[in-house]
Amino acid sequence: MTAVDHTLIVIASVLVTAPYWISACLKAKWFSATVAEVQGLGLGPAPTVARATIAVQALGSASLVFGVLPVFGLLALVAFTIAASFVGHPFWRLPAGERLTGANGFLANVGLLGGLLSVALLHRLS
């Protein structure tokens, strides 16, 4: 693997994980709002779920970006994203006027899953 290949893998990892590590930073900064969001989703205990969300997003991202146990980071982010898609973006339950916006959030997560799998493949090939 060349230095250029390694650099591109790191850049791809940073970009595909950006929604996760940025979200983790914002959730940590505004923790009380994060707890309220978790409560609004009906999950609990809310502070524990909020902390776990921050940890998965931050540590999963870091493992991919730094290439330390990237398979575990990938699995954590994939599991989190699938769960978040069904819990946070249940577009099929929304009224017709809101369904398209909800579907867009759900489909954005599907795209993230594709990006994560692509980065995992790059790590594997390197």
Side-chain angles (χ1 to χ4, degrees), residues 43-68:
L43 302 173
T48 302
V49 172
R51 284 185 193 92
T53 297
I54 293 165
V56 167
Q57 289 181 321
L59 297 174
S61 297
S63 75
L64 280 175
V65 171
F66 297 111
V68 177

Side-chain angles (χ1 to χ4, degrees), residues 1-14:
M1 177 171 61
T2 68
V4 172
D5 293 337
H6 177 73
T7 301
L8 289 175
I9 291 171
V10 171
I11 290 169
S13 298
V14 169

Side-chain angles (χ1 to χ4, degrees), residues 17-32 34 50 53-59 61:
T17 60
Y20 299 103
W21 52 262
I22 292 170
S23 176
C25 290
L26 295 175
K27 283 178 176 12
K29 181 175 181 175
W30 295 303
F31 189 72
S32 60
T34 302
T53 297
I54 293 165
V56 167
Q57 289 181 321
L59 297 174
S61 297

